[in-house]
Amino acid sequence: MRYQHHGNELNNEEDIIGFEALFESMQKCKKGVMWKGSAAHYVLNGLEETLKLEKQLKTGTYKARQTTKFRVTYPKPRDIVSICFRDRVYQRSLNDNAIYPAMTKSFIQHNCACQKDKGTDYARAVLDEFLHRHYRKYGRAGGVLQVDVHGYYPNMKHQSQRTSSRNTLSRTSTSERRRYWKISMRAMSDIIREVR
């Protein structure tokens, strides 16, 4: 049986790095990647691998593994940094059980980016509402600006993002949650260095 969250706060470290949380994250991470050898190995040995990961996280011996870098050329060229399945399981648990609930509290209602229950249909309804409101107020005068910032993530000021995230999490998080956030930020820093 899945543990219960009390309100928006997490009970303890089990909610993030406990066996159940990590195993549930593994189940989510395996979708669409079971053809990969590393994912198949982890899932086929899921109980053992998850127990091993839990122990490393609880004893402080966890270290993110080497990333894989490659370039995708279609539909447009971009550099990809891939983390191993084991690290993905931990990051998924950390995100789903700590970071996402804490961070989304500060988002505006109409932010639909990668949010639970705010998929394409919701985003279209929001856009439709905004367009109708604009039309009632201004008629056909106006336009839409669509922007794709080239190299946004690898070129952003990561220290500013870390500081902002740390401030948001410290207002809503327990000290345990902040500790796991720091572990994740160290792992992400390694990935960022490899992208550059």
Side-chain angles (χ1 to χ4, degrees), residues 38-61:
S38 60
H41 169 78
Y42 190 102
V43 173
L44 288 172
N45 300 290
L47 296 174
E48 183 182 340
E49 293 292 329
T50 303
L51 283 170
K52 218 177 350 179
L53 177 57
E54 177 189 27
K55 183 179 179 183
Q56 290 171 349
L57 288 165
K58 287 184 175 179
T59 60
T61 58

Side-chain angles (χ1 to χ4, degrees), residues 88-122:
R88 186 163 301 172
V89 168
Y90 167 54
Q91 285 192 4
R92 178 71 186 245
S93 181
L94 182 66
N95 183 67
D96 288 357
N97 300 315
I99 297 171
Y100 179 85
M103 297 299 283
T104 55
K105 289 178 188 177
S106 66
F107 291 175
I108 63 169
Q109 175 189 353
H110 294 107
N111 181 336
C112 305
C114 299
Q115 291 199 54
K116 188 176 180 183
D117 299 325
K118 290 189 175 182
T120 306
D121 291 339
Y122 178 83

Side-chain angles (χ1 to χ4, degrees), residues 9 14 16 28 31 48 70 75 88 96 100 107 114 134 164 170 180 185 188 190:
E9 286 301 312
E14 290 299 308
I16 303 167
K28 292 176 182 176
K31 293 177 184 168
E48 183 182 340
F70 57 95
R88 186 163 301 172
D96 288 357
Y100 179 85
F107 291 175
C114 299
H134 178 87
S164 174
S170 67
Y180 304 123
M185 289 310 296
M188 288 305 296
D190 293 342

Side-chain angles (χ1 to χ4, degrees), residues 10 19 87 142 168:
L10 296 170
F19 179 82
D87 294 341
T168 300

